[in-house]
Amino acid sequence: MSIILTVSRLTFYEASRRKILLAAVGLGSLFLIIYGIGFHYIISDLEGEIGVTNRVQLNEIRNFLLTAGMFVVHFLASIMTVLISADTLSGEISSGTIQTMAAKPVRRLEILTGKWLGFAVMLTFYLLLMAGGVMLIVYFRTGYTAPHPLRALELMWLNLLLLLSISLLGGTTFSTLTNGVVILGLYGIAFIGGWIEQIGSFMSNTSTNQIAFNLGVITSLLMPSEALWRRTVHELQSPLVAALGFSPFSSSYYPSLAMVIYAVGYTIAAFLFAIVLFNRRDL
């Protein structure tokens, strides 16, 4: 266990040396400042036009702006996960630096677990800064809280762990560039599949609706990232939007708990497979 914690600490140190953490925190803080200013003025203008007593309509607008902010956070955190982890194994293997650590009486399982844990803690702090910041901005300005904020944060966190496990898996086999392309390609496929399913749910043609739904399910099984986001939106959206089944970020269809469980299993399987391939890799 001590070796795993040491590798995790070294992972943090390497990220700090390359100023990844500094850039992430700095740009994340800038995003929150811009979002906070924009949210304040938009809400102030709408309160003047609608009136502060019309709580139902105002809360729907607050919910929409909150979800929009969380969508940006979801995207930035996902890209952040890929960028910081795609090079952690493949780059060290290609440069030969991994041999310095692997040559010692340290199991490769401990190396990989330590790196995963270090990045997981780093991404957790980043998510809390960004998503927590958006929620707090909305709450302190308006007093509004989304229906299930903790569930939404858990799902977004699971998505980051999913991408992290896949990135480490790819790093055991592919070069840094190929690994990044593969992960972002899978992410893009899941994204477009989710939107096809969402748009298809509004089609009156039953056949088109079913085809779109099937495409969404297939892409979610291939890469559950978009399914986790749509489940996140379901947890965030207001009861009125949920009843209407209409939102720019969701539809009447949303992933079930079974898909969330599948994503957990997918994450664990990717990590375990990464361990197997890393143990077999000739360094």
Side-chain angles (χ1 to χ4, degrees):
M1 187 64 182
S2 60
I3 295 177
I4 294 176
L5 294 178
T6 299
V7 175
S8 299
R9 188 175 68 253
L10 291 175
T11 301
F12 260 99
Y13 172 77
E14 179 64 18
S16 300
R17 186 183 67 82
R18 295 166 62 184
K19 294 185 172 53
I20 296 176
L21 284 176
L22 180 61
V25 172
L27 293 174
S29 300
L30 179 61
F31 163 77
L32 291 176
I33 291 172
I34 295 174
Y35 177 83
I37 294 173
F39 181 82
H40 168 73
Y41 282 103
I42 291 173
I43 290 297
S44 296
D45 186 67
L46 291 173
E47 286 176 345
E49 293 183 5
I50 300 174
V52 294
T53 57
N54 195 339
R55 295 184 60 85
V56 174
Q57 190 172 356
L58 280 176
N59 280 343
E60 292 305 315
I61 296 173
R62 292 163 181 166
N63 182 269
F64 173 80
L65 294 175
L66 170 65
T67 306
M70 296 295 279
F71 175 78
V72 177
V73 170
H74 163 75
F75 176 76
L76 292 177
S78 298
I79 298 300
M80 170 80 173
T81 302
V82 176
L83 291 178
I84 67 172
S85 62
D87 186 54
T88 187
L89 282 179
S90 56
E92 292 177 359
I93 291 174
S94 62
S95 64
T97 56
I98 192 68
Q99 297 178 5
T100 305
M101 186 178 298
K104 298 177 181 180
V106 178
R107 292 183 298 172
R108 296 187 184 185
L109 167 65
E110 294 172 321
I111 296 175
L112 192 61
T113 303
K115 287 182 175 294
W116 187 93
L117 182 61
F119 283 126
V121 173
M122 192 185 310
L123 292 169
T124 300
F125 284 132
Y126 184 75
L127 179 64
L128 290 176
L129 168 68
M130 299 288 283
V134 169
M135 291 182 177
L136 287 176
I137 287 172
V138 175
Y139 176 77
F140 285 126
R141 173 59 183 82
T142 65
Y144 177 79
T145 304
H148 304 106
L150 292 181
R151 293 182 193 173
L153 285 175
E154 290 170 355
L155 290 165
M156 294 178 72
W157 183 62
L158 174 58
N159 177 63
L160 299 186
L161 299 185
L162 168 72
L163 291 172
L164 174 60
S165 297
I166 296 174
S167 179
L168 292 180
L169 172 60
T172 62
T173 304
F174 303 127
S175 66
T176 300
L177 182 59
T178 304
N179 191 26
V181 169
V182 169
I183 300 170
L184 292 177
L186 289 173
Y187 184 85
I189 290 172
F191 178 82
I192 195 63
W195 276 98
I196 289 174
E197 181 181 353
Q198 180 176 334
I199 295 172
S201 66
F202 300 112
M203 299 296 179
S204 57
N205 188 299
T206 305
S207 177
T208 301
N209 186 292
Q210 187 61 47
I211 292 174
F213 176 79
N214 291 339
L215 283 175
V217 171
I218 292 172
T219 54
S220 294
L221 292 175
L222 181 63
M223 178 66 161
S225 57
E226 184 64 20
L228 289 175
W229 164 246
R230 287 189 287 121
R231 179 74 189 198
T232 301
V233 174
H234 171 71
E235 300 294 348
L236 288 174
Q237 67 186 5
S238 66
L240 178 59
V241 172
L244 293 175
F246 175 77
S247 168
F249 301 103
S250 65
S251 66
S252 56
Y253 297 139
Y254 61 89
S256 65
L257 181 60
M259 178 55 72
V260 178
I261 296 174
Y262 173 79
V264 173
Y266 194 110
T267 302
I268 296 173
F271 178 71
L272 294 177
F273 194 30
I275 292 174
V276 172
L277 292 182
F278 190 44
N279 282 329
R280 296 178 178 176
R281 179 69 187 264
D282 184 11
L283 302 180

mmCIF file of all heavy atoms in Angstrom, residues 16-39:
data_model
loop_
_atom_site.group_PDB
_atom_site.id
_atom_site.type_symbol
_atom_site.label_atom_id
_atom_site.label_comp_id
_atom_site.label_asym_id
_atom_site.label_seq_id
_atom_site.Cartn_x
_atom_site.Cartn_y
_atom_site.Cartn_z
ATOM 1 N N SER A 16 2.322 18.622 -11.177
ATOM 2 C CA SER A 16 2.676 19.961 -10.706
ATOM 3 C C SER A 16 3.889 20.492 -11.470
ATOM 4 O O SER A 16 3.945 21.672 -11.819
ATOM 5 C CB SER A 16 2.974 19.921 -9.204
ATOM 6 O OG SER A 16 1.854 19.462 -8.479
ATOM 7 N N ARG A 17 4.856 19.621 -11.723
ATOM 8 C CA ARG A 17 6.058 20.037 -12.449
ATOM 9 C C ARG A 17 5.727 20.496 -13.858
ATOM 10 O O ARG A 17 6.319 21.469 -14.361
ATOM 11 C CB ARG A 17 7.058 18.886 -12.496
ATOM 12 C CG ARG A 17 8.409 19.258 -13.098
ATOM 13 C CD ARG A 17 9.322 18.056 -13.186
ATOM 14 N NE ARG A 17 8.825 17.084 -14.144
ATOM 15 C CZ ARG A 17 9.015 17.171 -15.467
ATOM 16 N NH1 ARG A 17 9.667 18.209 -15.975
ATOM 17 N NH2 ARG A 17 8.544 16.238 -16.271
ATOM 18 N N ARG A 18 4.777 19.820 -14.470
ATOM 19 C CA ARG A 18 4.379 20.190 -15.830
ATOM 20 C C ARG A 18 3.318 21.292 -15.829
ATOM 21 O O ARG A 18 2.795 21.649 -16.869
ATOM 22 C CB ARG A 18 3.841 18.945 -16.547
ATOM 23 C CG ARG A 18 4.914 17.878 -16.737
ATOM 24 C CD ARG A 18 4.338 16.533 -17.128
ATOM 25 N NE ARG A 18 3.626 16.571 -18.393
ATOM 26 C CZ ARG A 18 2.965 15.545 -18.912
ATOM 27 N NH1 ARG A 18 2.922 14.394 -18.243
ATOM 28 N NH2 ARG A 18 2.364 15.652 -20.068
ATOM 29 N N LYS A 19 2.994 21.796 -14.643
ATOM 30 C CA LYS A 19 2.052 22.902 -14.452
ATOM 31 C C LYS A 19 0.641 22.566 -14.958
ATOM 32 O O LYS A 19 -0.129 23.459 -15.336
ATOM 33 C CB LYS A 19 2.567 24.169 -15.130
ATOM 34 C CG LYS A 19 3.838 24.721 -14.486
ATOM 35 C CD LYS A 19 4.255 26.034 -15.115
ATOM 36 C CE LYS A 19 5.393 26.659 -14.319
ATOM 37 N NZ LYS A 19 6.537 25.791 -14.095
ATOM 38 N N ILE A 20 0.323 21.262 -14.979
ATOM 39 C CA ILE A 20 -1.017 20.853 -15.390
ATOM 40 C C ILE A 20 -2.049 21.306 -14.372
ATOM 41 O O ILE A 20 -3.094 21.867 -14.712
ATOM 42 C CB ILE A 20 -1.077 19.325 -15.575
ATOM 43 C CG1 ILE A 20 -0.163 18.892 -16.721
ATOM 44 C CG2 ILE A 20 -2.503 18.862 -15.853
ATOM 45 C CD1 ILE A 20 -0.088 17.385 -16.904
ATOM 46 N N LEU A 21 -1.740 21.087 -13.080
ATOM 47 C CA LEU A 21 -2.676 21.470 -12.024
ATOM 48 C C LEU A 21 -2.873 22.976 -12.001
ATOM 49 O O LEU A 21 -4.000 23.457 -11.847
ATOM 50 C CB LEU A 21 -2.160 20.986 -10.669
ATOM 51 C CG LEU A 21 -2.312 19.496 -10.367
ATOM 52 C CD1 LEU A 21 -1.672 19.169 -9.021
ATOM 53 C CD2 LEU A 21 -3.778 19.098 -10.351
ATOM 54 N N LEU A 22 -1.787 23.715 -12.143
ATOM 55 C CA LEU A 22 -1.873 25.173 -12.113
ATOM 56 C C LEU A 22 -2.742 25.693 -13.254
ATOM 57 O O LEU A 22 -3.596 26.566 -13.061
ATOM 58 C CB LEU A 22 -0.477 25.782 -12.197
ATOM 59 C CG LEU A 22 -0.406 27.318 -12.169
ATOM 60 C CD1 LEU A 22 -0.985 27.843 -10.867
ATOM 61 C CD2 LEU A 22 1.038 27.779 -12.355
ATOM 62 N N ALA A 23 -2.532 25.137 -14.458
ATOM 63 C CA ALA A 23 -3.324 25.562 -15.615
ATOM 64 C C ALA A 23 -4.791 25.191 -15.437
ATOM 65 O O ALA A 23 -5.687 25.991 -15.755
ATOM 66 C CB ALA A 23 -2.769 24.925 -16.882
ATOM 67 N N ALA A 24 -5.047 23.984 -14.909
ATOM 68 C CA ALA A 24 -6.430 23.537 -14.728
ATOM 69 C C ALA A 24 -7.163 24.402 -13.716
ATOM 70 O O ALA A 24 -8.305 24.825 -13.943
ATOM 71 C CB ALA A 24 -6.450 22.077 -14.287
ATOM 72 N N VAL A 25 -6.514 24.664 -12.596
ATOM 73 C CA VAL A 25 -7.154 25.482 -11.548
ATOM 74 C C VAL A 25 -7.338 26.917 -12.028
ATOM 75 O O VAL A 25 -8.385 27.535 -11.807
ATOM 76 C CB VAL A 25 -6.312 25.446 -10.261
ATOM 77 C CG1 VAL A 25 -6.857 26.445 -9.236
ATOM 78 C CG2 VAL A 25 -6.318 24.050 -9.661
ATOM 79 N N GLY A 26 -6.327 27.450 -12.714
ATOM 80 C CA GLY A 26 -6.420 28.822 -13.197
ATOM 81 C C GLY A 26 -7.529 29.018 -14.219
ATOM 82 O O GLY A 26 -8.356 29.929 -14.097
ATOM 83 N N LEU A 27 -7.559 28.148 -15.220
ATOM 84 C CA LEU A 27 -8.590 28.259 -16.250
ATOM 85 C C LEU A 27 -9.968 27.911 -15.698
ATOM 86 O O LEU A 27 -10.980 28.494 -16.107
ATOM 87 C CB LEU A 27 -8.242 27.355 -17.434
ATOM 88 C CG LEU A 27 -6.990 27.768 -18.227
ATOM 89 C CD1 LEU A 27 -6.659 26.732 -19.287
ATOM 90 C CD2 LEU A 27 -7.189 29.134 -18.864
ATOM 91 N N GLY A 28 -10.015 26.950 -14.765
ATOM 92 C CA GLY A 28 -11.287 26.609 -14.130
ATOM 93 C C GLY A 28 -11.839 27.776 -13.342
ATOM 94 O O GLY A 28 -13.043 28.064 -13.384
ATOM 95 N N SER A 29 -10.972 28.474 -12.624
ATOM 96 C CA SER A 29 -11.400 29.653 -11.861
ATOM 97 C C SER A 29 -11.880 30.758 -12.792
ATOM 98 O O SER A 29 -12.871 31.452 -12.501
ATOM 99 C CB SER A 29 -10.241 30.158 -10.992
ATOM 100 O OG SER A 29 -9.813 29.150 -10.086
ATOM 101 N N LEU A 30 -11.181 30.928 -13.931
ATOM 102 C CA LEU A 30 -11.603 31.931 -14.907
ATOM 103 C C LEU A 30 -12.983 31.597 -15.465
ATOM 104 O O LEU A 30 -13.839 32.482 -15.634
ATOM 105 C CB LEU A 30 -10.581 32.016 -16.039
ATOM 106 C CG LEU A 30 -10.881 33.016 -17.163
ATOM 107 C CD1 LEU A 30 -10.960 34.433 -16.605
ATOM 108 C CD2 LEU A 30 -9.820 32.927 -18.249
ATOM 109 N N PHE A 31 -13.222 30.317 -15.751
ATOM 110 C CA PHE A 31 -14.536 29.895 -16.226
ATOM 111 C C PHE A 31 -15.622 30.224 -15.202
ATOM 112 O O PHE A 31 -16.697 30.744 -15.556
ATOM 113 C CB PHE A 31 -14.544 28.391 -16.504
ATOM 114 C CG PHE A 31 -15.922 27.793 -16.599
ATOM 115 C CD1 PHE A 31 -16.691 27.958 -17.741
ATOM 116 C CD2 PHE A 31 -16.463 27.085 -15.527
ATOM 117 C CE1 PHE A 31 -17.977 27.423 -17.830
ATOM 118 C CE2 PHE A 31 -17.735 26.546 -15.602
ATOM 119 C CZ PHE A 31 -18.493 26.718 -16.749
ATOM 120 N N LEU A 32 -15.362 29.962 -13.939
ATOM 121 C CA LEU A 32 -16.359 30.213 -12.896
ATOM 122 C C LEU A 32 -16.633 31.707 -12.751
ATOM 123 O O LEU A 32 -17.780 32.112 -12.508
ATOM 124 C CB LEU A 32 -15.884 29.627 -11.566
ATOM 125 C CG LEU A 32 -15.839 28.094 -11.486
ATOM 126 C CD1 LEU A 32 -15.261 27.652 -10.154
ATOM 127 C CD2 LEU A 32 -17.229 27.495 -11.688
ATOM 128 N N ILE A 33 -15.594 32.517 -12.889
ATOM 129 C CA ILE A 33 -15.790 33.967 -12.806
ATOM 130 C C ILE A 33 -16.685 34.451 -13.947
ATOM 131 O O ILE A 33 -17.641 35.211 -13.750
ATOM 132 C CB ILE A 33 -14.427 34.691 -12.840
ATOM 133 C CG1 ILE A 33 -13.647 34.404 -11.547
ATOM 134 C CG2 ILE A 33 -14.616 36.199 -13.020
ATOM 135 C CD1 ILE A 33 -12.221 34.912 -11.565
ATOM 136 N N ILE A 34 -16.376 34.004 -15.175
ATOM 137 C CA ILE A 34 -17.172 34.412 -16.334
ATOM 138 C C ILE A 34 -18.601 33.895 -16.212
ATOM 139 O O ILE A 34 -19.572 34.625 -16.476
ATOM 140 C CB ILE A 34 -16.522 33.900 -17.632
ATOM 141 C CG1 ILE A 34 -15.161 34.581 -17.841
ATOM 142 C CG2 ILE A 34 -17.432 34.150 -18.843
ATOM 143 C CD1 ILE A 34 -14.378 34.029 -19.009
ATOM 144 N N TYR A 35 -18.754 32.638 -15.798
ATOM 145 C CA TYR A 35 -20.088 32.066 -15.624
ATOM 146 C C TYR A 35 -20.858 32.828 -14.556
ATOM 147 O O TYR A 35 -22.051 33.131 -14.741
ATOM 148 C CB TYR A 35 -19.979 30.594 -15.232
ATOM 149 C CG TYR A 35 -21.309 29.936 -14.964
ATOM 150 C CD1 TYR A 35 -22.092 29.444 -16.008
ATOM 151 C CD2 TYR A 35 -21.795 29.817 -13.667
ATOM 152 C CE1 TYR A 35 -23.333 28.851 -15.763
ATOM 153 C CE2 TYR A 35 -23.029 29.227 -13.411
ATOM 154 C CZ TYR A 35 -23.792 28.748 -14.460
ATOM 155 O OH TYR A 35 -25.013 28.168 -14.210
ATOM 156 N N GLY A 36 -20.203 33.147 -13.445
ATOM 157 C CA GLY A 36 -20.879 33.858 -12.362
ATOM 158 C C GLY A 36 -21.351 35.239 -12.780
ATOM 159 O O GLY A 36 -22.479 35.648 -12.459
ATOM 160 N N ILE A 37 -20.499 35.964 -13.507
ATOM 161 C CA ILE A 37 -20.890 37.297 -13.973
ATOM 162 C C ILE A 37 -22.058 37.209 -14.954
ATOM 163 O O ILE A 37 -23.047 37.938 -14.850
ATOM 164 C CB ILE A 37 -19.685 38.008 -14.631
ATOM 165 C CG1 ILE A 37 -18.606 38.287 -13.582
ATOM 166 C CG2 ILE A 37 -20.135 39.310 -15.301
ATOM 167 C CD1 ILE A 37 -17.311 38.827 -14.171
ATOM 168 N N GLY A 38 -21.942 36.282 -15.919
ATOM 169 C CA GLY A 38 -23.019 36.120 -16.889
ATOM 170 C C GLY A 38 -24.323 35.693 -16.236
ATOM 171 O O GLY A 38 -25.390 36.221 -16.554
ATOM 172 N N PHE A 39 -24.250 34.747 -15.312
ATOM 173 C CA PHE A 39 -25.453 34.273 -14.618
ATOM 174 C C PHE A 39 -26.107 35.409 -13.835
ATOM 175 O O PHE A 39 -27.340 35.554 -13.852
ATOM 176 C CB PHE A 39 -25.079 33.127 -13.679
ATOM 177 C CG PHE A 39 -26.250 32.550 -12.937
ATOM 178 C CD1 PHE A 39 -27.075 31.604 -13.538
ATOM 179 C CD2 PHE A 39 -26.527 32.943 -11.640
ATOM 180 C CE1 PHE A 39 -28.166 31.074 -12.857
ATOM 181 C CE2 PHE A 39 -27.613 32.427 -10.949
ATOM 182 C CZ PHE A 39 -28.437 31.483 -11.562
#
